[in-house]
Structures are given as structure tokens and as C-alpha cells.
Amino acid sequence: WNNTHNIKSGDILEVRGEKKLAQSLENKGYGRYLMSKGYNHIIMPQHYIIVGKSNSPIYYIQRLRDRLGIRIEDIFRGKSPFIKALIYGERSEIDLSTNDIMSKTGTSHLIAISGFHIGILAGFLGILLKKKGFLTRYIFIFSFIWIYVLFTGGRPSSIRAGAFYTFLILSVIFSEEYDILSSGFIIASVLLLINPYIIYDIGFQLSFMAVLSIGLFYNPIKNKAEKIKNPILKKIAKLGGLTISAQLLTLPLTYYHFGRISLISLISNLISVPLIGVLYPVLIFTILFNGIPFIGQIAKGVSLTLLDLFINSNNIF
């Protein structure tokens, strides 16, 4: 059974073995984890054969992801695992030491596809489409965001981010005030109705606790920051305030699940968030236009420089 290297994404298998309910597993924590991901059963396989190929959209999306991964490897070589994680959330290739460093500095959220990435993409598209009509621009951004959510594997974190941005777009289109708390409670309620066991998912807990924390604490901090006259200090204060407000209610959960609280996360995020904010669109530009002489090489050089700054600063912290 260990000889499974010939199984590829999209293969349809006929599997024989013992089926078990996830909730009946001796390891109750693992059973709840499986159910939080939507898996109600597991099978203890004894034999399998490949009986066909899938023609579903998910299969073709995976093929595109594989091709993009090969292109990233060709361009960035040894730095490709981190870039794959940043662009489409493929974190399995990142080594344990890098994961541990980012956990200690509180910057792991920057390589989990979330509202941070959706916001950068939406902002970038908004700049490119600023000459288009109001409704056309937002419909295009909405469509692209959900294509991106599917392309990144439809992970819960990216679905949540896409849903939040959908509410933001709807509030703009219908000239209604956007309320992050109301949006958060609606999205959480829908997800819990679909799968009540998602409450056990750590990502679900942390992301919605961060939303609740931002909704409760960020506005007072932002109002104080608005009184700062220096524009650079004002931006730093707002970014720091956002980082602090997001962590106030997530720190207890972080300690409960991981036994660790990052005391350096405020400073590390003040440096890392702007770096990744610039690196992300530059990486996309590099991947798209690397074949263009001179321009592609400059973009690649800028990408690698920003990436080295991010990695080295995290190592120092």
C-alpha cells in the first residue's frame, strides 16, 4: 500500500478496505479535525486500482496550479517553496525551520491565503481598471477574486476572505456602510450551518476572532492615529494599531493551541507586512513577464531582494 507514487491529481480510484466514522476514532482530536474539514469517514485501505480520470473543474484547476508551480521553480529555484506559499497557498514544501521562525515572529499569516492577499489583489486590479466604469470595475474584481479563491484550492481562509470582500463590494455598489462585525457574524453563521464541526478548525477560530478583535478595538486606535500630523508616522500608527487590535483576542487562542505567544510580533509585522505588500504584486509581474529581456530580470532581482529582506529580518527577530 505504500507504493502510491503513481497516483496523480485527478485520478479516480476504486479502494477496498474498512470504512470508519471519523467521530469514532480513538484520537478524538483528529476525528474532530477531519470533520471540521468536511470528512465524515475514513477508510483503512487494503487494495486500490486507478479506474479513470476526473473531468471536473477542480482537476483542471490543479493542472494549472502544477504548471504555475513548475514555472515558479524555473524562475526562482531554491526560493520557490516560499513563493508558492505566498502566491497560491502551497505550504507543504516550506521547511520546518522556516515555519518555526515565522511562527515565533508572528508572521505566519502572511503566507496563508487570506484577506491580506485578497486586499492586495483587489487594490492592484482597482488601479489597473480605474478608467473603467464603476460597476464594470467592481464586477470584474469580484469575478477575479472568486476565480483566485478556487485557484488557491478553495481553502477555508481564502473562502472567508472572498466572502468578506464580497460584502465590501456590495456595500459600495448599494451605497451602504460596510460593517466588519455584521459581515463576520453572517459569514460565520453560514459556514457553521453548512458544517457545524468547522468550529473545531483552528484557522476558523483564529480568523474570526481576529475579525471580532479588529471590529471591537481598531476604530478607537485609528481615530487616535488620524490626529498625527506626520503622514509616515500616521501610516505606521495605523498599521501598528491594526496589528495590535487583531492580536488582542487571538493571543489566548494562540497560546492554547501552540503553547506560544510572540512578543516580537508587533515589530516584525510592522516591517514584514509592507515588505510582503510590495513583494506580492512584484512576484506576480515577474511570473507573467519573466521572459521579456531586461524587464524580466529587473523584476526578478527586485523580487529576490525583497524576499531576502523578509527572510533575514525574520531570522534577526
Side-chain angles (χ1 to χ4, degrees), residues 8-20:
K8 295 180 176 60
S9 178
D11 287 344
I12 299 172
L13 308 180
E14 179 183 296
V15 183
R16 297 180 182 276
E18 180 188 358
K19 186 175 74 171
K20 289 184 178 181

Side-chain angles (χ1 to χ4, degrees), residues 6 25 57 190 252 303:
N6 61 325
L25 296 178
V190 170
S303 298

Side-chain angles (χ1 to χ4, degrees), residues 209 213 217 221 243-252:
M209 195 59 75
S213 195
F217 304 118
I221 298 174
T243 303
I244 291 172
S245 60
Q247 291 183 343
L248 287 175
L249 296 182
T250 58
L251 284 177

Side-chain angles (χ1 to χ4, degrees), residues 103-175:
S103 176
K104 288 178 178 177
T105 57
T107 56
S108 296
H109 64 97
L110 296 176
I111 56 170
I113 303 301
S114 63
F116 176 75
H117 303 78
I118 298 292
I120 293 174
L121 269 180
F124 187 64
L125 289 172
I127 293 171
L128 292 177
L129 300 170
K130 64 181 178 180
K131 293 185 179 180
K132 298 292 183 181
F134 173 83
L135 194 59
T136 302
R137 181 168 69 251
Y138 278 102
I139 289 175
F140 183 87
I141 293 174
F142 168 82
S143 303
F144 188 88
I145 289 302
W146 280 103
I147 290 171
Y148 179 69
V149 167
L150 292 175
F151 183 76
T152 57
R155 291 178 172 85
S157 59
S158 59
I159 291 173
R160 289 191 292 269
F164 273 109
Y165 200 79
T166 298
F167 276 104
L168 179 60
I169 289 176
L170 290 173
S171 70
V172 173
I173 291 175
F174 292 105
S175 300

Side-chain angles (χ1 to χ4, degrees), residues 241-274:
L242 185 63
T243 303
I244 291 172
S245 60
Q247 291 183 343
L248 287 175
L249 296 182
T250 58
L251 284 177
L253 272 176
T254 302
Y255 183 75
Y256 175 78
H257 287 299
F258 307 111
R260 171 186 291 164
I261 292 177
S262 175
L263 299 178
I264 199 72
S265 63
L266 175 58
I267 299 173
S268 60
N269 274 279
L270 282 174
I271 293 174
S272 295
V273 169

